[in-house]
Amino acid sequence: MADTTYDDLLGIIDEVAGTLVPGERLACLFGLLAPLLDQVEREDEELSDDPVLSTSDAVRELRKAAAGEPVDIDAVHEQLTEVGPCYSEDQDPERHIVSQSAYAAAAWLRLLAGRKLRTTAYLEGEDEEPVPPFAPSAFTRIVDLLAWTRSNQVYFHWEDAITCPEDCDLQAAIRELRAMHVEISGFNSQRYSYDSSSPAE
């Protein structure tokens, strides 16, 4: 595992995630992005003239959705996708981290809803997903973005990171991928441990 490349790790994670049922994948993925949400929740900048939700309210509603409570998913998604482009335009790396965290959360909401959700006017007419499209599945595309966000870096495609080592820390992103692989594998192990301990019918 120590010599495994970034894209190989994404493939391994995709295989492990594929052994989980959809609800488990969603719960596992939310656990991976949850530590980033506190920073998003602290943002109080007004991003539009008439927002349905504030950014902090959107994060609180997102947590409710993760807990299975009914929320206006479209409104939450719209506000999160409002944060994404507004904060990514700034040159401050910390604001980029907030942007990437919001995009990862929006992508998670799309998986939860299983449909296209209302989005900010900034992105109207665009077919692009809120996360980079390079990983093999919707799950690992979010994981790919999280590897850079959890290591406090602006996102780089892994091949670009190899050719531009002065602009990023690929090894830090790989360490986050390995950490997430452990978390996902642990989630899977807990599931099988529970299954094996359940009485046979």
Side-chain angles (χ1 to χ4, degrees), residues 136-150:
S137 67
F139 185 98
T140 48
R141 285 193 284 274
I142 297 175
V143 168
D144 178 27
L145 180 59
L146 290 177
W148 296 89
T149 310
R150 286 173 35 141

Side-chain angles (χ1 to χ4, degrees), residues 30-201:
F30 189 81
L32 299 178
L33 69 87
L36 300 169
L37 296 177
D38 287 347
Q39 187 175 1
V40 181
E41 187 176 11
R42 287 193 293 270
E43 299 302 322
D44 58 3
E45 181 178 331
E46 291 189 9
L47 304 177
S48 63
D49 294 332
D50 189 24
V52 176
L53 294 173
S54 67
T55 300
S56 58
D57 285 340
V59 173
R60 285 191 284 271
E61 292 296 293
L62 176 72
R63 291 194 177 105
K64 289 180 182 178
E69 298 180 33
V71 302
D72 184 347
I73 292 180
D74 283 285
V76 177
H77 184 269
E78 182 177 19
Q79 183 62 22
L80 290 172
T81 56
E82 188 96 16
V83 173
C86 287
Y87 277 59
S88 65
E89 291 174 354
D90 198 291
Q91 296 303 310
D92 183 352
E94 289 188 6
R95 287 174 67 87
H96 273 274
I97 299 305
V98 172
S99 169
Q100 291 172 188
S101 301
Y103 275 137
W108 181 87
L109 268 180
R110 290 190 183 192
L111 286 181
L112 176 67
R115 62 177 175 84
K116 187 175 181 179
L117 297 173
R118 190 171 72 240
T119 191
T120 174
Y122 289 110
L123 300 178
E124 281 184 359
E126 296 188 15
D127 294 328
E128 295 182 6
E129 292 292 316
V131 293
F134 309 112
S137 67
F139 185 98
T140 48
R141 285 193 284 274
I142 297 175
V143 168
D144 178 27
L145 180 59
L146 290 177
W148 296 89
T149 310
R150 286 173 35 141
S151 59
N152 293 311
Q153 300 187 77
V154 175
Y155 178 81
F156 265 76
H157 183 273
W158 59 87
E159 291 181 353
D160 294 334
I162 292 171
T163 58
C164 303
E166 69 280 1
D167 295 328
C168 62
D169 186 347
L170 177 60
Q171 291 308 310
I174 288 175
R175 285 193 295 273
E176 283 299 330
L177 271 189
R178 290 193 185 114
M180 286 188 283
H181 174 253
V182 170
E183 292 180 57
I184 297 164
S185 298
F187 195 97
N188 196 28
S189 297
Q190 290 174 11
R191 171 202 178 194
Y192 281 113
S193 175
Y194 174 81
D195 288 347
S196 63
S197 63
S198 299
E201 294 184 358

